[in-house]
Amino acid sequence: STHNRWIVQIPRLWRIYSMKKSTQGEKINFQQMIENLFCPIFDATLFPDENPEVSELLKHIVGFDSVDDEGSAEASCDCTRPTQWSQPENPAYCWQLYYLWANITVLNTLRQSKGLNTFAFRPHAGETGDTMHLAATYILCESINHG
């Protein structure tokens, strides 16, 4: 239907995703997970004729959510780059949120310059977990989807 709009939930499940190996059999890093999510969206935005299905789907998406059990253990926030994060522990909530926000912001700038729809970032936050989750969401996101 032309009236349906979708919000894509991005699960913060690094602890599960990190158990996979790359096609070369090496450990994967957080950057690869981010690229797996965002590269097809950037490609469809830049080259809609080469990616017609994804390009059409993006017209019906209004935002992104990020969800996981906020009460689960996570590493402290630090300045590790996504290419260097390959340990099995979940990175800090605010660290993950920042890299999702950064990619959505760049994507929105590109899409807006092409006259395309943009996306809100409304993650789950505040139900359980550290109060820094709420603070990071307040600073980086338009609103909270649930919490």
Side-chain angles (χ1 to χ4, degrees):
S1 167
T2 58
H3 300 289
N4 286 339
R5 295 295 176 251
W6 300 92
I7 291 181
V8 176
Q9 277 195 334
I10 303 168
R12 291 186 311 271
L13 296 174
W14 171 253
R15 65 186 179 278
I16 295 168
Y17 190 77
S18 69
M19 290 186 240
K20 297 180 180 274
K21 301 283 186 196
S22 73
T23 53
Q24 292 80 24
E26 302 167 353
K27 288 184 77 171
I28 60 167
N29 60 54
F30 194 83
Q31 180 65 32
Q32 290 167 301
M33 187 180 82
I34 292 289
E35 289 172 358
N36 189 47
L37 174 65
F38 285 103
C39 283
I41 301 172
F42 275 100
D43 286 346
T45 298
L46 290 167
F47 311 108
D49 293 339
E50 295 175 22
N51 304 280
E53 296 89 1
V54 177
S55 182
E56 179 62 29
L57 172 67
L58 293 175
K59 294 176 186 175
H60 302 277
I61 294 174
V62 296
F64 291 94
D65 179 3
S66 180
V67 62
D68 189 15
D69 175 8
E70 285 186 73
S72 65
E74 62 184 42
S76 334
C77 192
D78 64 19
C79 295
T80 304
R81 294 185 181 273
T83 54
Q84 301 302 311
W85 193 278
S86 59
Q87 57 264 39
E89 296 82 28
N90 269 348
Y93 175 90
C94 56
W95 186 90
Q96 292 181 67
L97 218 61
Y98 171 78
Y99 286 105
L100 292 173
W101 168 83
N103 279 275
I104 292 167
T105 299
V106 172
L107 179 62
N108 278 343
T109 301
L110 173 63
R111 291 184 63 80
Q112 188 172 31
S113 75
K114 296 174 77 55
L116 300 170
N117 63 303
T118 57
F119 310 111
F121 186 29
R122 302 190 309 234
H124 279 58
E127 228 177 342
T128 61
D130 195 289
T131 54
M132 285 304 295
H133 295 186
L134 275 176
T137 304
Y138 179 76
I139 292 169
L140 296 173
C141 306
E142 294 178 36
S143 62
I144 294 173
N145 218 27
H146 182 270

